[in-house]
Amino acid sequence: MNGNTRLQMILADTPVDQVLPAIAKLHLPDWWLAGGAVRNTVWHSIFGNECQLFIKDFDIAFFDEAGNRSQELLAKTSLTEQFPQHQFDVKNQASFARWRAGKRLYTSTEDGIKDWLHTATAVGVRLDANGEWEFFTPYGLDDLFAGTIRPTPNHLDDPDAHNKASGFLSKCPYLRLVDGQ
C-alpha cells in the first residue's frame, strides 16, 4: 500500500474526512487542509490512546494574490457555522507575510506549507472537483507514519520548532525528535 492510500485510510471516518467536503465547497483557490488536524489524527490512530494529541483546529491554507483577510474570515465563519464543535484557522498564503512579521512572501500555497515548522506537519489533503482525495507531501510521509518530529529545512535552528516539538513529546511518548535533516 502506498503512503497516500494509507493516509486516506487513516483519515477516513474521522473529523478530517467530515470537514473536507465543506472546505471544498468554499472554492478557495489552491486550498489544502494541513497541519495539526492531519498530523494529530494520524499519530493518535497509530499510537493509540496514550498519544494525547488531538485536533485543536483545522489549518486551511489557500493562495489568492487578490484576496484579503475578509476572505479568510468568511471561510472561517462558514465552516464554524457548519461545525460549531471545531475551530478553523484559514490563511491566505499570498498575504501571510504582509501581516506576520518576519515571514517571507510565498509564491503558492505549497510554498507556504513547505515552510511550516515540521515535516510531519507539512502534509496537505484536499478533495478535487470530483470529490477525489489529493495529497501534498513535500517531505514524504515517513516521518508522519513513524512519529518523527523533524524540523523542515528553514527551521533547523528555530526555537519555535524546538518548543513545539517539546509539546508534542510531552503529550505522546511514542514520538521521536530528530534535530536536523
Side-chain angles (χ1 to χ4, degrees):
M1 167 186 336
N2 73 34
N4 291 347
T5 301
R6 182 178 179 199
L7 180 57
Q8 183 176 344
M9 288 176 63
I10 290 171
L11 297 176
D13 298 320
T14 70
V16 170
D17 187 36
Q18 295 165 6
V19 302
L20 279 177
I23 299 168
K25 287 179 183 172
L26 296 173
H27 302 290
L28 295 168
D30 194 27
W31 70 274
W32 291 100
L33 171 63
V38 174
R39 180 197 62 229
N40 292 351
T41 299
V42 170
W43 284 349
H44 192 76
S45 172
I46 290 172
F47 300 115
N49 290 333
E50 287 186 54
C51 186
Q52 293 295 302
L53 290 166
F54 303 101
I55 296 173
K56 181 183 100 181
D57 61 10
F58 290 85
D59 295 303
I60 302 153
F62 69 99
F63 193 86
D64 185 357
E65 289 189 60
N68 57 45
R69 299 297 302 272
S70 66
Q71 191 178 16
E72 297 171 352
L73 184 58
L74 286 170
K76 180 178 178 175
T77 299
S78 174
L79 292 167
T80 302
E81 287 172 358
Q82 294 174 69
F83 303 97
Q85 72 277 24
H86 296 302
Q87 294 183 24
F88 297 90
D89 189 10
V90 184
K91 294 289 186 275
N92 183 357
Q93 301 301 291
S95 64
F96 201 64
R98 286 189 285 243
W99 57 267
R100 183 102 183 238
K103 291 292 181 181
R104 66 177 176 80
L105 286 175
Y106 297 130
T107 58
S108 67
T109 308
E110 293 82 2
D111 187 34
I113 291 172
K114 281 194 287 191
D115 193 40
W116 290 9
L117 294 178
H118 301 103
T119 56
T121 303
V123 172
V125 296
R126 68 181 175 195
L127 300 178
D128 68 13
N130 297 318
E132 299 294 320
W133 286 64
E134 294 183 328
F135 305 90
F136 177 63
T137 59
Y139 305 104
L141 293 169
D142 290 346
D143 285 351
L144 179 63
F145 293 142
T148 300
I149 307 168
R150 181 189 317 270
T152 58
N154 288 341
H155 298 281
L156 294 175
D157 297 316
D158 185 337
D160 289 339
H162 181 75
N163 291 339
K164 274 248 188 200
S166 295
F168 300 154
L169 290 167
S170 72
K171 293 179 181 175
C172 189
Y174 301 104
L175 301 179
R176 182 175 62 96
L177 178 62
V178 175
D179 287 327
Q181 296 288 351

